[in-house]
Amino acid sequence: NAVSVYAFGDGKVGSANADYLDNPPSGSTNASGSDFVTSQYGDTISISSSANLATGELKAYADIETSLGGVCCTGGNATAGADFYDTIRFDYGETPTTDWTISIDNTITFGSGGFLGNGEATYRGGIRIWASNTPYDFGNQIYTDGWNQTYDISNYLSAQTSFSFSFTIPSEYQYATMAIDNFSLRASAGADESGQVTSPHGRADASSTGTSSITVPMGVFATSDSGVFPISSVPIPPAIWLFGTGMLGLIGISRRKI
């Protein structure tokens, strides 16, 4: 079962430490967590994040503020993140006589609840595709895009974007496996007691939601390990498959000051 969700956060300022981790068993489709702490000098950290594979949404929030009236402090930082991973499997149903194509249309919506100081958020992810003649076998990798890369999409904040792509499975392969690879959203912020290095208050609040529709040749059977996507033979009716990320060449949310 190649599906996972993950939410974490950590931060430190003065004498205060914040952290949480939600890493449910494989096969789960939701993860979330939060923490709020105040130091003895009035420094505060607030962090939260969530991943929902069924709705395709990632959220991350980090806020840190130093109390300028406290004794000398070195400032601090806070980070919150959410990830998911899923696998979609395709079966041609018989030995193909020609190459076959899978097409994906995506619509990605990025949201921003606000940024302060040096608050920033990043987004990354990618797709990898394998072909084989054995079910549930990753076999020969034939396609990769965006794997393990972080992208800056500051111009896409609070906006929607759409893009499409397709990939061809050679006729010698009956099966294909597509990995939705570790899509992740991170929000981070730093604060400095003096206000000279960064600022006494930093915040990042961001989210992403994506929908994807997949079209495959007549007779191809498709399913996902998460179980949240409908099992359909194609042509797939406009059933929406929610991936929750901005795939490939867009990805990330970068610093914005207000």
Side-chain angles (χ1 to χ4, degrees), residues 4-245:
S4 62
V5 288
Y6 179 76
F8 82 96
D10 61 74
K12 178 177 176 60
V13 59
S15 61
N17 292 275
D19 66 86
Y20 64 86
L21 172 64
D22 186 16
N23 186 19
S26 178
S28 300
T29 58
N30 290 274
S32 63
S34 64
D35 198 9
F36 176 84
V37 297
T38 303
S39 77
Q40 60 181 314
Y41 303 115
D43 310 309
T44 62
I45 295 175
S46 178
I47 48 178
S48 63
S49 60
S50 63
N52 188 327
L53 187 55
T55 63
E57 186 173 52
L58 296 172
K59 294 182 177 180
Y61 175 87
D63 185 283
I64 183 168
E65 185 170 11
T66 59
S67 122
L68 296 179
V71 297
C72 178
C73 296
T74 57
N77 59 78
T79 300
D83 304 55
F84 69 68
Y85 176 100
D86 198 7
T87 304
I88 300 173
R89 305 178 191 276
F90 304 90
D91 179 358
Y92 193 84
E94 59 184 12
T95 302
T97 57
T98 62
D99 295 348
W100 49 292
T101 300
I102 300 174
S103 301
I104 303 179
D105 296 309
N106 306 281
T107 299
I108 315 301
T109 302
F110 300 98
S112 169
F115 290 79
L116 287 175
N118 70 338
E120 64 179 9
T122 59
Y123 197 91
R124 76 173 187 178
I127 288 179
R128 290 186 293 174
I129 297 169
W130 296 262
S132 72
N133 284 310
T134 304
Y136 301 100
D137 180 12
F138 282 86
N140 179 37
Q141 182 170 307
I142 61 172
Y143 183 90
T144 182
D145 199 330
W147 166 242
N148 206 29
Q149 299 179 28
T150 300
Y151 301 88
D152 177 359
I153 57 158
S154 55
N155 293 330
Y156 291 92
L157 283 174
S158 300
Q160 187 178 87
T161 185
S162 300
F163 56 97
S164 303
F165 69 98
S166 62
F167 54 90
T168 299
I169 308 300
S171 60
E172 62 263 35
Y173 298 113
Q174 178 178 340
Y175 302 96
T177 301
M178 179 168 66
I180 308 300
D181 270 333
N182 294 326
F183 283 99
S184 63
L185 179 67
R186 299 282 186 271
S188 61
D192 178 68
E193 181 70 20
S194 68
Q196 296 176 355
V197 177
T198 54
S199 69
H201 191 184
R203 179 191 300 140
D205 184 1
S207 66
S208 67
T209 305
T211 63
S212 297
S213 60
I214 297 181
T215 303
V216 295
M218 180 69 70
V220 172
F221 180 80
T223 187
S224 72
D225 284 2
S226 69
V228 301
F229 304 133
I231 301 174
S232 304
S233 66
V234 256
I236 295 179
I240 298 295
W241 289 18
L242 301 172
F243 287 170
T245 46

